[in-house]
Amino acid sequence: MKSDSFGRYFGITTFGESHGPAIGVVLEDIKPGIEFPEEEIRKVLRERRPGKGQFSSERDENDDLVILSGIFEGRTTGTPICLIVFNHDHRPEDYNAIRNIFRPGHGDYCFYKKFKIYDYRGGGRASGRETLARVAAGEMVNHLLGNIEIALYPVQIGHFQANEVDLSFENELHWPDRSNYQQLSTFLTDLKKQGDSCGGIIQAIIRNVPVGLGDPVFEKLDANLAKAILSIGSVKGIEFGIGFQMADRKGSETNDEMSSGGFLSNNSGGITAGISTGQEVRFRFLVKPTPSIRKTQNTMTTSGESIRFSVNGRHDTVIIPRIIPVARAMIKLVLADAISHQNLLTEKPADLSILREVIEKIDEDLLLCLYRRKQISQNIGSLKKNQELPVSDPAREKELFQQLQEKASELDLDQDFVKEIWDRIFTYSRDLQC
Ligand SMILES: Cc1cc2nc3c(=O)[nH]c(=O)nc-3n(C[C@H](O)[C@H](O)[C@H](O)COP(=O)(O)O)c2cc1C
């Protein structure tokens, strides 16, 4: 059971709790020699960070990245990469009062029943803070995504709808409609004063997705995107293309007809039979209202007593702005996985720059091997001297050559080429030992 892991072609495993010492991620199977996108990771962590806007939790974390393994001189080494962020501004005392109370809308009751023990401080593993690990991981697969572009913006917050979409309009909610932003802002300020919260709907549009990503049965692209998005805390629904509107449309109004120039519509959201059509991938997903609210509600204690309860501590009035970077990271991880699979199927050569980076790394490894060989050869020379053995041992060299030629033929390497290299290596070793 790998319930904390995600991905087939490169795995990510996240770990840590909201109020533990740190949150982190381990990434496996990321190719060696790839430039480590440290600045990009720091940037997305800042985007996801709490304590940034008036409708965001006031928990103030600097979310400073610590690289524990897998990176050497700014590049991936091909070994597991471990990235962590320490939790600084955790105030467990905010949670003392709720240690025996199941908070409505949170997983406390389910955790308690399932594990018989749970970290009541800030939701533990179910905390939104876990998602910083995913956000960091998302930046590690950029090299696989080519020119794919991902746009994410809310189209509904509370009862407000975005009627116009202007993505150049900058605001803390990522709201794309200037015309009603002020009213929306006032609505959220009032909601915050009342100690309440709201949710909304986020639109995702992914451009330049190549045709053919995804598989027809258990690895459908839409199924994998749905799982990735629904794995984000507080996301409760997802629809692709025109989604649930299909219910009262006829087939003739729903099918994406084609002509010589390609598709005439995109009702399916750019995925049919689990496989990308080459059109924009479009889906929308629902984010529920933030469950922690100051308004008093009914609940139960761990000993089964009914009580009235309200949440103290610091919480987002609406979680949407904090969900956006997380959703972007999850989309990247799903697409990178599907692309890796497709590259294997089609044996398509990877990007030239990536191949060059890998070759550079191999050359570096070869040099390191030669260096180690030189050191060992010198040690052998000293031992031979001590034991008064001759430097040259033609019988052993012949046997070694034979073994190398056999191995070379298994690997389909040119035998003359291999002989030439090892002739030179053996001469060098003998010279060192003389
Ligand atoms: C980035 C992010 C931040 C979140 N911040 C909060 C928060 O400040 N307060 C809160 O009550 N829930 C917050 N949540 C939502 C809860 O984690 C989530 O609703 C809860 O664990 C129950 O899970 P469910 O809503 O998926 O059923 C956040 C979720 C994410 C992904």
Side-chain angles (χ1 to χ4, degrees):
M1 284 284 284
K2 298 180 95 186
S3 331
D4 294 275
S5 301
F6 186 82
R8 285 184 300 162
Y9 287 87
F10 48 85
I12 72 158
T13 300
T14 74
F15 60 89
E17 282 84 24
S18 163
H19 286 64
I23 298 272
V25 61
V26 175
L27 295 111
E28 286 173 273
D29 300 320
I30 298 281
K31 289 192 175 146
I34 293 166
E35 204 171 314
F36 179 59
E38 184 165 345
E39 257 328 294
E40 287 83 347
I41 296 180
R42 289 188 190 282
K43 185 168 168 258
V44 286
L45 286 178
R46 280 196 295 274
E47 269 170 41
R48 197 223 62 97
R49 198 165 70 90
K52 286 195 323 168
Q54 55 171 322
F55 307 120
S56 158
S57 154
E58 286 130 38
R59 177 169 174 170
D60 189 12
E61 289 284 6
N62 64 14
D63 285 355
D64 205 10
L65 180 72
V66 180
I67 304 155
L68 286 191
S69 67
I71 308 296
F72 180 64
E73 294 181 341
R75 285 182 185 269
T76 57
T77 59
T79 57
I81 298 167
C82 181
L83 309 174
I84 62 167
V85 166
F86 285 106
N87 296 322
H88 297 292
D89 188 27
H90 50 90
R91 295 194 209 153
E93 63 276 11
D94 279 355
Y95 293 91
N96 277 343
I98 61 154
R99 58 183 313 150
N100 298 318
I101 297 170
F102 300 128
R103 295 167 304 163
H106 280 282
D108 304 347
Y109 173 79
C110 312
F111 270 51
Y112 187 73
K113 288 287 175 190
K114 179 180 168 72
F115 300 109
K116 319 287 181 238
I117 174 170
Y118 79 107
D119 184 349
Y120 56 88
R121 304 159 309 164
R125 264 314 264 159
S127 162
R129 206 157 160 67
E130 177 272 336
T131 59
L132 71 82
R134 310 182 197 203
V135 166
E139 290 309 300
M140 292 299 306
V141 297
N142 283 339
H143 61 283
L144 289 166
L145 300 180
N147 61 346
I148 289 177
E149 289 170 13
I150 303 167
L152 285 154
Y153 53 88
V155 285
Q156 185 168 341
I157 293 183
H159 60 277
F160 284 83
Q161 310 247 348
N163 301 314
E164 288 166 18
V165 174
D166 173 1
L167 297 185
S168 66
F169 177 40
E170 284 184 21
N171 58 83
E172 68 165 288
L173 299 168
H174 303 275
W175 186 247
D177 188 350
R178 287 171 202 268
S179 68
N180 55 7
Y181 182 70
Q182 206 40 57
Q183 291 100 302
L184 171 62
S185 191
T186 311
F187 163 74
L188 290 174
T189 308
D190 287 347
L191 208 56
K192 189 174 178 181
K193 276 190 205 140
Q194 293 158 29
D196 219 331
S197 64
C198 74
I201 296 173
I202 297 175
Q203 171 78 55
I205 302 177
I206 316 170
R207 298 194 178 92
N208 306 325
V209 178
V211 62
L213 296 188
D215 286 274
V217 185
F218 296 118
E219 295 295 337
K220 287 184 165 184
L221 187 62
D222 41 359
N224 286 342
L225 282 167
K227 178 171 181 179
I229 296 294
L230 285 167
S231 76
I232 304 170
S234 79
V235 176
K236 289 291 159 191
I238 185 164
E239 58 175 6
F240 287 83
I242 58 167
F244 292 107
Q245 286 177 42
M246 287 192 192
D248 66 352
R249 287 204 190 182
K250 299 181 189 125
S252 56
E253 297 163 331
T254 313
N255 291 339
D256 291 318
E257 292 182 59
M258 298 188 80
S259 74
S260 57
F263 287 99
L264 300 176
S265 58
N266 186 3
N267 295 324
S268 68
I271 303 172
T272 299
I275 300 173
S276 60
T277 60
Q279 297 165 283
E280 281 179 357
V281 169
R282 303 177 73 99
F283 61 87
R284 290 147 67 102
F285 56 97
L286 173 103
V287 178
K288 79 179 190 184
T290 318
S292 290
I293 50 174
R294 276 189 292 106
K295 266 211 162 145
T296 306
Q297 294 192 291
N298 295 311
T299 191
M300 188 171 85
T301 63
T302 47
S303 51
E305 204 187 325
S306 298
I307 53 158
R308 300 273 294 156
F309 167 75
S310 78
V311 177
N312 283 319
R314 303 154 291 169
H315 300 280
D316 301 273
T317 313
V318 58
I319 315 174
I320 281 184
R322 307 220 10 246
I323 296 282
I324 286 177
V326 185
R328 180 171 290 113
M330 293 311 290
I331 293 170
K332 284 184 180 185
L333 291 170
V334 171
L335 292 178
D337 217 52
I339 289 169
S340 303
H341 182 62
Q342 190 64 5
N343 284 347
L344 275 188
L345 279 187
T346 56
E347 287 179 18
K348 199 174 112 194
D351 187 65
L352 183 62
S353 62
I354 296 171
L355 291 180
R356 282 189 173 144
E357 280 181 23
V358 176
I359 284 274
E360 279 167 28
K361 178 74 177 60
I362 292 173
D363 287 345
E364 203 180 303
D365 288 349
L366 282 174
L367 273 179
L368 282 172
C369 286
L370 286 175
Y371 173 68
R372 283 187 53 219
R373 199 180 193 290
K374 175 186 154 187
Q375 286 180 316
I376 293 170
S377 186
Q378 282 169 329
N379 286 343
I380 292 176
S382 314
L383 286 174
K384 280 180 179 168
K385 240 180 221 148
N386 289 345
Q387 295 174 27
E388 294 179 357
L389 292 168
V391 165
S392 180
D393 183 348
R396 186 174 145 69
E397 277 181 24
K398 194 174 164 209
E399 193 190 321
L400 267 178
F401 251 133
Q402 235 159 20
Q403 283 172 10
L404 286 166
Q405 299 263 310
E406 276 165 29
K407 192 84 206 155
S409 126
E410 268 172 38
L411 295 171
D412 204 17
L413 285 168
D414 185 288
Q415 306 229 349
D416 289 342
F417 168 64
V418 172
K419 183 170 179 325
E420 213 176 298
I421 294 175
W422 262 272
D423 266 340
R424 189 66 199 90
I425 289 177
F426 285 170
T427 312
Y428 183 55
S429 280
R430 276 196 298 272
D431 291 349
L432 283 171
Q433 294 178 10
C434 282

